[in-house]
């Protein structure tokens, strides 16, 4: 269960070194899809500055980067103390390995028009917050745009907790809010440094079913190759859509 995982043993430096030191084709593909999803929406429906959230931000900055052009505030929510320290360090001592990820986003004007790059605006709008995904049940409809990357299926081996995590994320968004969520299909668990972490074995149809009741205009993408990032999963699944209006 999530409560039993050793989150304070999570090593963000080892995690970034293993997963994000080099820009992989699968991450480039994910960012390209999310870039288009958000940019196309805001071209059609421009509005005021938004409150965004990246749930389970961990040591992955590119989901937050995808929201920067439209947000006055982005909550980077994470449970693990080491991840919170890593995120806070980025305000003063940037990990410039993320610049390659930003350049992918800059193929769209909304990002390219940020002449100072991501770091100035990141420092202005990002707010690092310690919190548990399940506590979002008490914070419904607070954010107008959101991301959740490789979180709900990476909390525990429990399918019920996977479903609850997806529900808590989507219910935290206002009706009509655009979102992007990424998952590892059929993950067998993963190691960060010397510490193992659990995963829930979910299929593409499980992922779609967990989202469907809370989303509209949902699109599901299979991205990358099996084992491209690490052994022990069959595909990455990216879900892009909008928080459903109404009570669902």
């Amino acid at each position: 269960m999530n409560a039993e995982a050793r989150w304070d043993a999570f090593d963000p430096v080892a995690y970034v070194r293993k997963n994000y030191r080099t820009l992989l084709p699968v991450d480039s593909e994910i960012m390209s899809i999310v870039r288009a999803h958000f940019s196309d929406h805001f071209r059609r429906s421009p509005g005021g500055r938004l409150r965004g959230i990246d749930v389970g931000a961990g040591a992955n900055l590119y989901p937050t980067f995808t929201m920067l052009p439209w947000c006055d505030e982005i909550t980077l929510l994470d449970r693990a103390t080491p991840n919170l320290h890593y995120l806070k360090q980025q305000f003063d001592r940037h990990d410039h390995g993320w610049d390659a990820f930003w350049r992918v986003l800059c193929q769209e004007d909304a990002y390219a028009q940020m002449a100072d790059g991501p770091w100035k605006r990141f420092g202005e709008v990002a707010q690092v917050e310690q919190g548990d995904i399940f506590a979002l049940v008490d914070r419904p409809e607070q954010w107008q745009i959101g991301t959740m990357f490789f979180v709900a299926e990476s909390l525990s081996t429990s399918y019920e907790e996977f479903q609850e995590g997806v529900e808590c994320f989507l219910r935290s968004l206002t009706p009509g809010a655009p979102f992007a969520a990424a998952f590892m299909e059929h993950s067998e668990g993963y190691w960060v440094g010397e510490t193992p972490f659990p995963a829930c074995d979910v299929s593409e149809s499980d992922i779609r079913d967990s989202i469907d009741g809370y989303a509209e205009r949902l699109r599901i993408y299979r991205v990358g190759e099996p084992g491209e990032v690490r052994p022990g999963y069959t595909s990455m699944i990216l879900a892009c859509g909008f928080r459903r209006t109404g009570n669902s």
Side-chain angles (χ1 to χ4, degrees), residues 38 42 47-55 64 67-77 121 125-127 129 136 138-147 169 172-179:
F38 289 157
F42 289 112
R49 292 292 181 174
L50 309 178
R51 298 180 69 216
I53 186 169
D54 182 27
V55 174
T64 295
M67 297 184 281
L68 281 178
W70 302 285
C71 290
D72 273 343
E73 178 184 315
I74 302 176
T75 299
L76 280 65
L77 186 75
R121 186 144 189 87
V125 307
Q127 300 181 1
E129 179 181 331
L136 291 176
D138 297 321
R139 302 169 72 178
E141 299 185 6
Q142 287 203 11
W143 291 276
Q144 293 91 39
I145 184 173
T147 55
F169 165 60
S172 75
L173 304 178
T174 58
F179 69 84

Side-chain angles (χ1 to χ4, degrees), residues 60-162:
N60 180 3
L61 294 188
Y62 80 69
T64 295
F65 282 2
T66 67
M67 297 184 281
L68 281 178
W70 302 285
C71 290
D72 273 343
E73 178 184 315
I74 302 176
T75 299
L76 280 65
L77 186 75
D78 202 88
R79 174 175 175 168
T81 300
N83 286 340
L84 299 170
H85 289 165
Y86 176 86
L87 292 169
K88 291 175 181 177
Q89 287 173 353
Q90 303 309 306
F91 292 105
D92 300 314
R93 193 171 71 243
H94 311 322
D95 183 346
H96 286 286
W98 295 108
D99 291 342
F101 293 77
W102 178 251
R103 286 193 289 271
V104 173
L105 295 173
C106 283
Q107 295 175 40
E108 168 61 48
D109 286 348
Y111 303 91
Q113 288 169 1
M114 294 171 58
D116 295 327
W119 297 111
K120 182 175 183 292
R121 186 144 189 87
F122 179 87
E124 293 170 346
V125 307
Q127 300 181 1
V128 178
E129 179 181 331
Q130 187 162 28
D132 191 299
I133 186 173
F134 302 122
L136 291 176
V137 70
D138 297 321
R139 302 169 72 178
E141 299 185 6
Q142 287 203 11
W143 291 276
Q144 293 91 39
I145 184 173
T147 55
M148 181 180 69
F149 278 47
F150 312 115
V151 175
E153 81 288 11
S154 303
L155 297 168
S156 74
T157 59
S158 166
Y159 185 70
E160 289 73 21
E161 287 197 335
F162 161 74

Side-chain angles (χ1 to χ4, degrees), residues 34-54:
V34 177
R35 178 188 72 204
H37 174 54
F38 289 157
S39 297
D40 290 351
H41 169 68
F42 289 112
R43 270 195 296 269
R44 294 190 302 268
S45 303
R49 292 292 181 174
L50 309 178
R51 298 180 69 216
I53 186 169
D54 182 27

Side-chain angles (χ1 to χ4, degrees), residues 170-187:
L170 291 171
R171 285 187 178 274
S172 75
L173 304 178
T174 58
F179 69 84
F183 307 85
M184 291 277 195
E185 182 189 51
H186 296 307
S187 177

Side-chain angles (χ1 to χ4, degrees), residues 2 8 12 19 50 82 85 120 158 193 203 207 226 242:
N2 178 56
D8 282 344
N19 294 285
L50 309 178
H85 289 165
K120 182 175 183 292
S158 166
S203 66
I207 293 163
F242 299 85

